[in-house]
Amino acid sequence: MTVRFRVRGLVGRRTGGGVGGGAGRGPADVVGQVCSELAVDLPDEDLGEYLYDCIDLYRMGSKPRCEEVEYLGMVQDAIDRIECGE
């Protein structure tokens, strides 16, 4: 449970600076990169400030089943990437 709150606080942060990755990236850089990639993959979705909210507040059946599975999977993958620091 502690990890969730730690990540929850990070997901809302945005950082300035250039694009790029590699060594020396901080947690906020990872969050910004992952959120940016997810926003590109899901341009019509309002992802909000916290990715956990996308899953916690999602109403099952509000999208066609195939879109629902893809959407929830992509959001969960993004959360997993942030937790792993990828």
Side-chain angles (χ1 to χ4, degrees):
M1 196 69 139
T2 349
V3 172
R4 180 175 181 167
F5 291 118
R6 180 178 54 81
V7 172
R8 208 174 242 254
L10 293 174
V11 173
R13 295 184 190 165
R14 296 286 184 246
T15 59
V19 176
R25 290 190 327 170
D29 295 329
V30 172
V31 171
Q33 180 67 32
V34 171
C35 288
S36 294
E37 291 172 6
L38 187 61
V40 168
D41 290 339
L42 299 171
D44 296 332
E45 299 296 331
D46 180 16
L47 298 174
E49 188 174 354
Y50 301 107
L51 291 181
Y52 277 108
D53 287 347
C54 294
I55 292 177
D56 292 343
L57 301 175
Y58 183 77
R59 288 186 337 227
M60 295 302 285
S62 63
K63 296 180 184 298
R65 183 70 181 143
C66 60
E67 289 179 26
E68 189 170 73
V69 170
E70 183 177 19
Y71 169 77
L72 293 172
M74 290 174 80
V75 172
Q76 186 61 54
D77 286 345
I79 291 170
D80 293 343
R81 286 179 57 203
I82 290 169
E83 288 176 351
C84 292
E86 294 179 2

